[in-house]
PDB file of all heavy atoms in Angstrom:
ATOM      1  N   GLU A  19      -0.463   4.129   4.672  1.00 75.00           N
ATOM      2  CA  GLU A  19      -1.529   3.517   3.910  1.00 75.00           C
ATOM      3  C   GLU A  19      -2.608   3.041   4.880  1.00 75.00           C
ATOM      4  O   GLU A  19      -2.282   2.557   5.969  1.00 75.00           O
ATOM      5  CB  GLU A  19      -0.976   2.324   3.129  1.00 75.00           C
ATOM      6  CG  GLU A  19       0.097   2.692   2.132  1.00 75.00           C
ATOM      7  CD  GLU A  19       0.689   1.458   1.465  1.00 75.00           C
ATOM      8  OE1 GLU A  19       0.083   0.373   1.591  1.00 75.00           O
ATOM      9  OE2 GLU A  19       1.746   1.587   0.835  1.00 75.00           O
ATOM     10  N   PRO A  20      -3.867   3.188   4.537  1.00 75.00           N
ATOM     11  CA  PRO A  20      -4.936   2.844   5.481  1.00 75.00           C
ATOM     12  C   PRO A  20      -4.821   1.435   6.051  1.00 75.00           C
ATOM     13  O   PRO A  20      -5.138   1.192   7.209  1.00 75.00           O
ATOM     14  CB  PRO A  20      -6.205   3.013   4.642  1.00 75.00           C
ATOM     15  CG  PRO A  20      -5.830   3.995   3.575  1.00 75.00           C
ATOM     16  CD  PRO A  20      -4.382   3.737   3.276  1.00 75.00           C
ATOM     17  N   GLY A  21      -4.345   0.474   5.263  1.00 86.00           N
ATOM     18  CA  GLY A  21      -4.259  -0.903   5.730  1.00 86.00           C
ATOM     19  C   GLY A  21      -3.303  -1.101   6.883  1.00 86.00           C
ATOM     20  O   GLY A  21      -3.428  -2.067   7.651  1.00 86.00           O
ATOM     21  N   LEU A  22      -2.317  -0.208   7.049  1.00 91.00           N
ATOM     22  CA  LEU A  22      -1.348  -0.364   8.128  1.00 91.00           C
ATOM     23  C   LEU A  22      -1.982  -0.170   9.496  1.00 91.00           C
ATOM     24  O   LEU A  22      -1.496  -0.714  10.487  1.00 91.00           O
ATOM     25  CB  LEU A  22      -0.179   0.592   7.936  1.00 91.00           C
ATOM     26  CG  LEU A  22       0.760   0.272   6.763  1.00 91.00           C
ATOM     27  CD1 LEU A  22       1.921   1.244   6.745  1.00 91.00           C
ATOM     28  CD2 LEU A  22       1.267  -1.160   6.850  1.00 91.00           C
ATOM     29  N   ASP A  23      -3.048   0.622   9.572  1.00 91.00           N
ATOM     30  CA  ASP A  23      -3.726   0.780  10.861  1.00 91.00           C
ATOM     31  C   ASP A  23      -4.211  -0.571  11.373  1.00 91.00           C
ATOM     32  O   ASP A  23      -4.141  -0.852  12.572  1.00 91.00           O
ATOM     33  CB  ASP A  23      -4.917   1.727  10.730  1.00 91.00           C
ATOM     34  CG  ASP A  23      -4.497   3.191  10.608  1.00 91.00           C
ATOM     35  OD1 ASP A  23      -3.296   3.470  10.775  1.00 91.00           O
ATOM     36  OD2 ASP A  23      -5.364   4.031  10.353  1.00 91.00           O
ATOM     37  N   ARG A  24      -4.692  -1.400  10.479  1.00 92.00           N
ATOM     38  CA  ARG A  24      -5.187  -2.716  10.889  1.00 92.00           C
ATOM     39  C   ARG A  24      -4.025  -3.653  11.217  1.00 92.00           C
ATOM     40  O   ARG A  24      -4.079  -4.418  12.173  1.00 92.00           O
ATOM     41  CB  ARG A  24      -6.065  -3.327   9.808  1.00 92.00           C
ATOM     42  CG  ARG A  24      -7.327  -2.529   9.516  1.00 92.00           C
ATOM     43  CD  ARG A  24      -8.357  -3.361   8.803  1.00 92.00           C
ATOM     44  NE  ARG A  24      -8.843  -4.439   9.664  1.00 92.00           N
ATOM     45  CZ  ARG A  24      -9.732  -5.350   9.283  1.00 92.00           C
ATOM     46  NH1 ARG A  24     -10.241  -5.316   8.055  1.00 92.00           N
ATOM     47  NH2 ARG A  24     -10.123  -6.295  10.116  1.00 92.00           N
ATOM     48  N   VAL A  25      -2.956  -3.587  10.447  1.00 94.00           N
ATOM     49  CA  VAL A  25      -1.800  -4.445  10.695  1.00 94.00           C
ATOM     50  C   VAL A  25      -1.226  -4.192  12.081  1.00 94.00           C
ATOM     51  O   VAL A  25      -0.841  -5.128  12.793  1.00 94.00           O
ATOM     52  CB  VAL A  25      -0.722  -4.214   9.618  1.00 94.00           C
ATOM     53  CG1 VAL A  25       0.597  -4.904  10.001  1.00 94.00           C
ATOM     54  CG2 VAL A  25      -1.196  -4.714   8.272  1.00 94.00           C
ATOM     55  N   TYR A  26      -1.189  -2.926  12.477  1.00 96.00           N
ATOM     56  CA  TYR A  26      -0.524  -2.563  13.724  1.00 96.00           C
ATOM     57  C   TYR A  26      -1.485  -2.327  14.889  1.00 96.00           C
ATOM     58  O   TYR A  26      -1.089  -1.784  15.918  1.00 96.00           O
ATOM     59  CB  TYR A  26       0.369  -1.341  13.498  1.00 96.00           C
ATOM     60  CG  TYR A  26       1.514  -1.649  12.566  1.00 96.00           C
ATOM     61  CD1 TYR A  26       1.643  -1.004  11.343  1.00 96.00           C
ATOM     62  CD2 TYR A  26       2.449  -2.616  12.903  1.00 96.00           C
ATOM     63  CE1 TYR A  26       2.692  -1.304  10.485  1.00 96.00           C
ATOM     64  CE2 TYR A  26       3.497  -2.927  12.050  1.00 96.00           C
ATOM     65  CZ  TYR A  26       3.614  -2.269  10.842  1.00 96.00           C
ATOM     66  OH  TYR A  26       4.647  -2.582   9.998  1.00 96.00           O
ATOM     67  N   ASN A  27      -2.733  -2.762  14.723  1.00 94.00           N
ATOM     68  CA  ASN A  27      -3.692  -2.666  15.821  1.00 94.00           C
ATOM     69  C   ASN A  27      -3.512  -3.883  16.729  1.00 94.00           C
ATOM     70  O   ASN A  27      -3.805  -5.009  16.328  1.00 94.00           O
ATOM     71  CB  ASN A  27      -5.111  -2.625  15.275  1.00 94.00           C
ATOM     72  CG  ASN A  27      -6.147  -2.393  16.368  1.00 94.00           C
ATOM     73  OD1 ASN A  27      -6.047  -2.932  17.455  1.00 94.00           O
ATOM     74  ND2 ASN A  27      -7.147  -1.583  16.065  1.00 94.00           N
ATOM     75  N   PRO A  28      -3.031  -3.689  17.971  1.00 93.00           N
ATOM     76  CA  PRO A  28      -2.740  -4.853  18.824  1.00 93.00           C
ATOM     77  C   PRO A  28      -3.984  -5.590  19.282  1.00 93.00           C
ATOM     78  O   PRO A  28      -3.891  -6.760  19.683  1.00 93.00           O
ATOM     79  CB  PRO A  28      -1.985  -4.236  20.004  1.00 93.00           C
ATOM     80  CG  PRO A  28      -2.437  -2.812  20.047  1.00 93.00           C
ATOM     81  CD  PRO A  28      -2.681  -2.417  18.623  1.00 93.00           C
ATOM     82  N   PHE A  29      -5.141  -4.955  19.242  1.00 92.00           N
ATOM     83  CA  PHE A  29      -6.359  -5.621  19.697  1.00 92.00           C
ATOM     84  C   PHE A  29      -6.992  -6.447  18.588  1.00 92.00           C
ATOM     85  O   PHE A  29      -7.635  -7.459  18.850  1.00 92.00           O
ATOM     86  CB  PHE A  29      -7.339  -4.587  20.262  1.00 92.00           C
ATOM     87  CG  PHE A  29      -6.843  -4.006  21.547  1.00 92.00           C
ATOM     88  CD1 PHE A  29      -6.070  -2.851  21.553  1.00 92.00           C
ATOM     89  CD2 PHE A  29      -7.104  -4.639  22.750  1.00 92.00           C
ATOM     90  CE1 PHE A  29      -5.575  -2.337  22.732  1.00 92.00           C
ATOM     91  CE2 PHE A  29      -6.609  -4.128  23.931  1.00 92.00           C
ATOM     92  CZ  PHE A  29      -5.853  -2.980  23.931  1.00 92.00           C
ATOM     93  N   GLU A  30      -6.796  -6.045  17.361  1.00 92.00           N
ATOM     94  CA  GLU A  30      -7.254  -6.865  16.244  1.00 92.00           C
ATOM     95  C   GLU A  30      -6.304  -8.029  15.976  1.00 92.00           C
ATOM     96  O   GLU A  30      -6.700  -9.046  15.394  1.00 92.00           O
ATOM     97  CB  GLU A  30      -7.384  -6.022  14.979  1.00 92.00           C
ATOM     98  CG  GLU A  30      -8.539  -5.044  14.985  1.00 92.00           C
ATOM     99  CD  GLU A  30      -8.731  -4.403  13.618  1.00 92.00           C
ATOM    100  OE1 GLU A  30      -8.279  -4.990  12.607  1.00 92.00           O
ATOM    101  OE2 GLU A  30      -9.333  -3.319  13.570  1.00 92.00           O
ATOM    102  N   ASN A  31      -5.063  -7.878  16.412  1.00 93.00           N
ATOM    103  CA  ASN A  31      -4.029  -8.868  16.094  1.00 93.00           C
ATOM    104  C   ASN A  31      -3.294  -9.298  17.355  1.00 93.00           C
ATOM    105  O   ASN A  31      -2.299  -8.672  17.740  1.00 93.00           O
ATOM    106  CB  ASN A  31      -3.022  -8.273  15.102  1.00 93.00           C
ATOM    107  CG  ASN A  31      -3.664  -7.781  13.833  1.00 93.00           C
ATOM    108  OD1 ASN A  31      -4.207  -8.559  13.064  1.00 93.00           O
ATOM    109  ND2 ASN A  31      -3.631  -6.466  13.616  1.00 93.00           N
ATOM    110  N   PRO A  32      -3.760 -10.342  18.028  1.00 91.00           N
ATOM    111  CA  PRO A  32      -3.022 -10.829  19.197  1.00 91.00           C
ATOM    112  C   PRO A  32      -1.625 -11.280  18.801  1.00 91.00           C
ATOM    113  O   PRO A  32      -1.341 -11.534  17.618  1.00 91.00           O
ATOM    114  CB  PRO A  32      -3.880 -11.991  19.700  1.00 91.00           C
ATOM    115  CG  PRO A  32      -4.734 -12.379  18.551  1.00 91.00           C
ATOM    116  CD  PRO A  32      -4.954 -11.149  17.743  1.00 91.00           C
ATOM    117  N   ARG A  33      -0.755 -11.384  19.767  1.00 92.00           N
ATOM    118  CA  ARG A  33       0.665 -11.609  19.480  1.00 92.00           C
ATOM    119  C   ARG A  33       0.911 -12.845  18.613  1.00 92.00           C
ATOM    120  O   ARG A  33       1.789 -12.840  17.755  1.00 92.00           O
ATOM    121  CB  ARG A  33       1.449 -11.728  20.791  1.00 92.00           C
ATOM    122  CG  ARG A  33       1.588 -10.411  21.546  1.00 92.00           C
ATOM    123  CD  ARG A  33       2.375 -10.589  22.818  1.00 92.00           C
ATOM    124  NE  ARG A  33       2.556  -9.316  23.534  1.00 92.00           N
ATOM    125  CZ  ARG A  33       3.193  -9.197  24.683  1.00 92.00           C
ATOM    126  NH1 ARG A  33       3.706 -10.270  25.266  1.00 92.00           N
ATOM    127  NH2 ARG A  33       3.313  -8.020  25.262  1.00 92.00           N
ATOM    128  N   TRP A  34       0.164 -13.899  18.843  1.00 92.00           N
ATOM    129  CA  TRP A  34       0.477 -15.146  18.143  1.00 92.00           C
ATOM    130  C   TRP A  34       0.175 -15.120  16.650  1.00 92.00           C
ATOM    131  O   TRP A  34       0.576 -16.034  15.937  1.00 92.00           O
ATOM    132  CB  TRP A  34      -0.233 -16.318  18.809  1.00 92.00           C
ATOM    133  CG  TRP A  34      -1.731 -16.173  18.935  1.00 92.00           C
ATOM    134  CD1 TRP A  34      -2.677 -16.520  18.014  1.00 92.00           C
ATOM    135  CD2 TRP A  34      -2.438 -15.642  20.055  1.00 92.00           C
ATOM    136  NE1 TRP A  34      -3.930 -16.237  18.482  1.00 92.00           N
ATOM    137  CE2 TRP A  34      -3.820 -15.701  19.743  1.00 92.00           C
ATOM    138  CE3 TRP A  34      -2.051 -15.131  21.299  1.00 92.00           C
ATOM    139  CZ2 TRP A  34      -4.806 -15.255  20.626  1.00 92.00           C
ATOM    140  CZ3 TRP A  34      -3.036 -14.694  22.178  1.00 92.00           C
ATOM    141  CH2 TRP A  34      -4.388 -14.753  21.841  1.00 92.00           C
ATOM    142  N   VAL A  35      -0.514 -14.068  16.140  1.00 94.00           N
ATOM    143  CA  VAL A  35      -0.771 -13.998  14.701  1.00 94.00           C
ATOM    144  C   VAL A  35       0.112 -12.958  14.014  1.00 94.00           C
ATOM    145  O   VAL A  35       0.079 -12.841  12.779  1.00 94.00           O
ATOM    146  CB  VAL A  35      -2.255 -13.680  14.406  1.00 94.00           C
ATOM    147  CG1 VAL A  35      -3.164 -14.648  15.136  1.00 94.00           C
ATOM    148  CG2 VAL A  35      -2.612 -12.231  14.742  1.00 94.00           C
ATOM    149  N   ARG A  36       0.893 -12.208  14.761  1.00 93.00           N
ATOM    150  CA  ARG A  36       1.598 -11.074  14.174  1.00 93.00           C
ATOM    151  C   ARG A  36       2.710 -11.485  13.215  1.00 93.00           C
ATOM    152  O   ARG A  36       3.098 -10.704  12.340  1.00 93.00           O
ATOM    153  CB  ARG A  36       2.137 -10.164  15.280  1.00 93.00           C
ATOM    154  CG  ARG A  36       1.021  -9.486  16.054  1.00 93.00           C
ATOM    155  CD  ARG A  36       1.513  -8.683  17.242  1.00 93.00           C
ATOM    156  NE  ARG A  36       0.385  -8.209  18.047  1.00 93.00           N
ATOM    157  CZ  ARG A  36       0.501  -7.649  19.244  1.00 93.00           C
ATOM    158  NH1 ARG A  36       1.709  -7.457  19.774  1.00 93.00           N
ATOM    159  NH2 ARG A  36      -0.570  -7.263  19.903  1.00 93.00           N
ATOM    160  N   GLY A  37       3.226 -12.689  13.372  1.00 92.00           N
ATOM    161  CA  GLY A  37       4.242 -13.151  12.443  1.00 92.00           C
ATOM    162  C   GLY A  37       3.713 -13.398  11.044  1.00 92.00           C
ATOM    163  O   GLY A  37       4.489 -13.460  10.080  1.00 92.00           O
ATOM    164  N   ASP A  38       2.389 -13.530  10.902  1.00 93.00           N
ATOM    165  CA  ASP A  38       1.775 -13.790   9.598  1.00 93.00           C
ATOM    166  C   ASP A  38       1.186 -12.533   8.965  1.00 93.00           C
ATOM    167  O   ASP A  38       0.622 -12.599   7.872  1.00 93.00           O
ATOM    168  CB  ASP A  38       0.660 -14.834   9.748  1.00 93.00           C
ATOM    169  CG  ASP A  38       1.182 -16.174  10.232  1.00 93.00           C
ATOM    170  OD1 ASP A  38       2.291 -16.552   9.813  1.00 93.00           O
ATOM    171  OD2 ASP A  38       0.500 -16.822  11.044  1.00 93.00           O
ATOM    172  N   LEU A  39       1.313 -11.395   9.633  1.00 93.00           N
ATOM    173  CA  LEU A  39       0.747 -10.159   9.097  1.00 93.00           C
ATOM    174  C   LEU A  39       1.662  -9.538   8.038  1.00 93.00           C
ATOM    175  O   LEU A  39       2.883  -9.738   8.072  1.00 93.00           O
ATOM    176  CB  LEU A  39       0.552  -9.150  10.239  1.00 93.00           C
ATOM    177  CG  LEU A  39      -0.460  -9.525  11.325  1.00 93.00           C
ATOM    178  CD1 LEU A  39      -0.383  -8.528  12.473  1.00 93.00           C
ATOM    179  CD2 LEU A  39      -1.870  -9.572  10.752  1.00 93.00           C
ATOM    180  N   PRO A  40       1.090  -8.755   7.123  1.00 93.00           N
ATOM    181  CA  PRO A  40       1.920  -8.065   6.114  1.00 93.00           C
ATOM    182  C   PRO A  40       2.568  -6.808   6.690  1.00 93.00           C
ATOM    183  O   PRO A  40       2.338  -5.684   6.210  1.00 93.00           O
ATOM    184  CB  PRO A  40       0.910  -7.736   5.015  1.00 93.00           C
ATOM    185  CG  PRO A  40      -0.389  -7.564   5.734  1.00 93.00           C
ATOM    186  CD  PRO A  40      -0.365  -8.564   6.857  1.00 93.00           C
ATOM    187  N   ALA A  41       3.369  -7.014   7.740  1.00 93.00           N
ATOM    188  CA  ALA A  41       4.060  -5.885   8.367  1.00 93.00           C
ATOM    189  C   ALA A  41       5.146  -5.357   7.443  1.00 93.00           C
ATOM    190  O   ALA A  41       5.652  -6.075   6.571  1.00 93.00           O
ATOM    191  CB  ALA A  41       4.670  -6.313   9.699  1.00 93.00           C
ATOM    192  N   LEU A  42       5.514  -4.099   7.643  1.00 95.00           N
ATOM    193  CA  LEU A  42       6.555  -3.496   6.816  1.00 95.00           C
ATOM    194  C   LEU A  42       7.891  -4.192   7.041  1.00 95.00           C
ATOM    195  O   LEU A  42       8.244  -4.510   8.179  1.00 95.00           O
ATOM    196  CB  LEU A  42       6.701  -2.013   7.165  1.00 95.00           C
ATOM    197  CG  LEU A  42       5.515  -1.105   6.831  1.00 95.00           C
ATOM    198  CD1 LEU A  42       5.754   0.279   7.417  1.00 95.00           C
ATOM    199  CD2 LEU A  42       5.286  -1.024   5.321  1.00 95.00           C
ATOM    200  N   PRO A  43       8.656  -4.422   5.989  1.00 94.00           N
ATOM    201  CA  PRO A  43      10.018  -4.917   6.181  1.00 94.00           C
ATOM    202  C   PRO A  43      10.831  -3.921   6.994  1.00 94.00           C
ATOM    203  O   PRO A  43      10.477  -2.739   7.101  1.00 94.00           O
ATOM    204  CB  PRO A  43      10.565  -5.035   4.756  1.00 94.00           C
ATOM    205  CG  PRO A  43       9.368  -5.036   3.872  1.00 94.00           C
ATOM    206  CD  PRO A  43       8.320  -4.235   4.577  1.00 94.00           C
ATOM    207  N   ARG A  44      11.929  -4.385   7.519  1.00 95.00           N
ATOM    208  CA  ARG A  44      12.747  -3.570   8.410  1.00 95.00           C
ATOM    209  C   ARG A  44      13.077  -2.199   7.827  1.00 95.00           C
ATOM    210  O   ARG A  44      12.897  -1.173   8.496  1.00 95.00           O
ATOM    211  CB  ARG A  44      14.031  -4.339   8.721  1.00 95.00           C
ATOM    212  CG  ARG A  44      15.043  -3.577   9.556  1.00 95.00           C
ATOM    213  CD  ARG A  44      16.300  -4.409   9.705  1.00 95.00           C
ATOM    214  NE  ARG A  44      17.205  -3.894  10.713  1.00 95.00           N
ATOM    215  CZ  ARG A  44      18.135  -4.624  11.301  1.00 95.00           C
ATOM    216  NH1 ARG A  44      18.263  -5.907  10.994  1.00 95.00           N
ATOM    217  NH2 ARG A  44      18.935  -4.082  12.205  1.00 95.00           N
ATOM    218  N   THR A  45      13.572  -2.146   6.609  1.00 95.00           N
ATOM    219  CA  THR A  45      13.989  -0.862   6.046  1.00 95.00           C
ATOM    220  C   THR A  45      12.798   0.077   5.870  1.00 95.00           C
ATOM    221  O   THR A  45      12.918   1.288   6.109  1.00 95.00           O
ATOM    222  CB  THR A  45      14.691  -1.071   4.698  1.00 95.00           C
ATOM    223  OG1 THR A  45      13.843  -1.841   3.831  1.00 95.00           O
ATOM    224  CG2 THR A  45      16.012  -1.799   4.888  1.00 95.00           C
ATOM    225  N   GLU A  46      11.651  -0.457   5.473  1.00 95.00           N
ATOM    226  CA  GLU A  46      10.475   0.394   5.314  1.00 95.00           C
ATOM    227  C   GLU A  46       9.936   0.844   6.673  1.00 95.00           C
ATOM    228  O   GLU A  46       9.448   1.977   6.803  1.00 95.00           O
ATOM    229  CB  GLU A  46       9.403  -0.357   4.525  1.00 95.00           C
ATOM    230  CG  GLU A  46       9.783  -0.596   3.070  1.00 95.00           C
ATOM    231  CD  GLU A  46       8.672  -1.276   2.297  1.00 95.00           C
ATOM    232  OE1 GLU A  46       7.485  -1.056   2.625  1.00 95.00           O
ATOM    233  OE2 GLU A  46       8.993  -2.044   1.364  1.00 95.00           O
ATOM    234  N   ALA A  47      10.001  -0.034   7.658  1.00 96.00           N
ATOM    235  CA  ALA A  47       9.569   0.364   8.998  1.00 96.00           C
ATOM    236  C   ALA A  47      10.445   1.495   9.529  1.00 96.00           C
ATOM    237  O   ALA A  47       9.953   2.439  10.162  1.00 96.00           O
ATOM    238  CB  ALA A  47       9.608  -0.838   9.936  1.00 96.00           C
ATOM    239  N   MET A  48      11.749   1.418   9.266  1.00 96.00           N
ATOM    240  CA  MET A  48      12.651   2.484   9.699  1.00 96.00           C
ATOM    241  C   MET A  48      12.315   3.791   8.986  1.00 96.00           C
ATOM    242  O   MET A  48      12.339   4.870   9.592  1.00 96.00           O
ATOM    243  CB  MET A  48      14.104   2.086   9.417  1.00 96.00           C
ATOM    244  CG  MET A  48      14.614   0.962  10.280  1.00 96.00           C
ATOM    245  SD  MET A  48      14.677   1.409  12.031  1.00 96.00           S
ATOM    246  CE  MET A  48      15.622   0.042  12.676  1.00 96.00           C
TER     247      MET A  48
END
């Protein structure tokens, strides 16, 4: 999905904000 490019862009999302992102749950990431 287009939105995942933004979620997983490390330059748009420094490490300290990644816990609040709508990242895929474990099973979906797998």
Side-chain angles (χ1 to χ4, degrees):
E19 299 175 14
L22 290 184
D23 285 352
R24 297 199 66 182
V25 169
Y26 294 117
N27 185 320
F29 291 91
E30 289 189 22
N31 303 295
R33 289 180 178 179
W34 56 87
V35 307
R36 293 174 188 170
D38 297 323
L39 295 172
L42 294 172
R44 176 184 192 159
T45 54
E46 292 183 31
M48 291 296 192

